[in-house]
Amino acid sequence: MRLVVVSAGLSVPSSTRLLADRLAAATVRGTAARVEVVELRDLAVEIAHNFTNGFPGRALSSALDAVTTADGLIVVTPVFSASYSGLFKSFFDVLDKDALAGKPVLIAATGGSSRHSLVLEHALRPLFAYLRAVVVPTAVYAASEDWGAEGLAERIDRAAGELGALMTGLSAAAGTATGAEGAEGARDAGGAEGTGLVQPVGAAPAPRAPVTTGTAPVRAVAARTASGGGFEVVPFEQQLAALRS
């Protein structure tokens, strides 16, 4: 499984990236997923160009592909003006509108004050609900005073556990569906549980009478039908020609 982390932190070092890394580490402990990090700070120029010319640059295109093909996402943004950052929103604005449909997403944010914690519920959760992602119940907000304080580690572990459970469950469901499709295809190919319309591999082909003009084909059909045998399909034009002769 692939876990992609989207971090919208701007500074170096960044508390947003620190929270993203801690969430990713907690998720990996329960899933053994491979982690890929997308730093939006490095993509800011390409995101802006995408809005003006309609085409993503090479790095942005790679990031969009990673997010689209991920089995799960962790998205973390700093709080700007009581909402997610403009860079964070811009990245998801250039993403295809169907890219996150059904995808498990853990939302998180950082800020200078705990008073901004509701950004998770009034901004981030509605955004990803609109994109039809499956947002885990526990969202994580880390204010400046939360680092090293009691409670943050527990919230991280709970949210990571929920994301891991969703990723594992969806992966197992996809594997089961693939196996079922393969078994169904094998049964159809073998004809064991099919409708009898598919001939087993290696079986001799059923003999077919030659189709000719005249009355012989019509008599042959009647004879096989009366004896309970199979039917020979004769094109309408040939039947009409036989009746005229």
Side-chain angles (χ1 to χ4, degrees):
M1 291 186 295
R2 292 179 62 248
L3 173 64
V4 173
V5 180
V6 178
S7 172
L10 298 179
S11 59
V12 180
S14 166
S15 60
T16 299
R17 176 60 188 271
L18 176 60
L19 179 58
D21 288 344
R22 290 189 61 178
L23 288 166
T27 304
V28 167
R29 285 197 297 269
T31 62
R34 295 181 292 108
V35 178
E36 181 175 346
V37 178
V38 175
E39 278 281 9
L40 298 187
R41 178 172 55 87
D42 300 332
L43 301 173
V45 173
E46 289 195 17
I47 291 173
H49 286 169
N50 195 130
F51 279 112
T52 58
N53 61 29
F55 297 97
R58 181 175 300 178
L60 177 58
S61 179
S62 177
L64 295 174
D65 289 342
V67 169
T68 301
T69 59
D71 296 297
L73 291 179
I74 294 173
V75 297
V76 191
T77 178
V79 175
F80 288 171
S81 302
S83 186
Y84 36 64
S85 71
L87 179 60
F88 181 86
K89 179 61 162 56
S90 296
F91 176 75
F92 289 101
D93 282 344
V94 300
L95 186 69
D96 185 87
K97 63 181 180 64
D98 297 320
L100 300 187
K103 196 180 299 295
V105 177
L106 191 165
I107 57 175
T110 59
S113 169
S114 59
R115 293 192 298 272
H116 291 301
S117 60
L118 285 178
V119 68
L120 296 168
E121 305 304 327
H122 74 69
L124 269 77
R125 197 177 295 275
L127 170 63
F128 289 96
Y130 172 79
L131 295 173
R132 292 179 291 141
V134 181
V135 184
V136 302
T138 301
V140 180
Y141 179 82
S144 298
E145 62 266 23
D146 288 327
W147 296 104
E150 184 179 355
L152 179 59
E154 289 75 10
R155 296 199 304 275
I156 289 174
D157 288 340
R158 184 167 66 248
E162 293 168 356
L163 178 62
L166 270 177
M167 291 173 61
T168 303
L170 290 175
S171 178
T176 301
T178 302
E181 290 174 359
E184 183 67 24
R187 287 197 297 270
D188 288 344
E193 297 180 22
T195 61
L197 299 177
V198 180
Q199 186 175 358
V201 176
R208 298 182 60 186
V211 178
T212 59
T213 59
T215 58
V218 178
R219 290 197 298 270
V221 170
R224 283 196 296 274
T225 303
S227 62
F231 292 92
E232 175 71 20
V233 178
V234 180
F236 175 76
E237 293 81 0
Q238 295 183 13
Q239 295 185 47
L240 184 60
L243 291 174
R244 288 174 177 172
S245 60

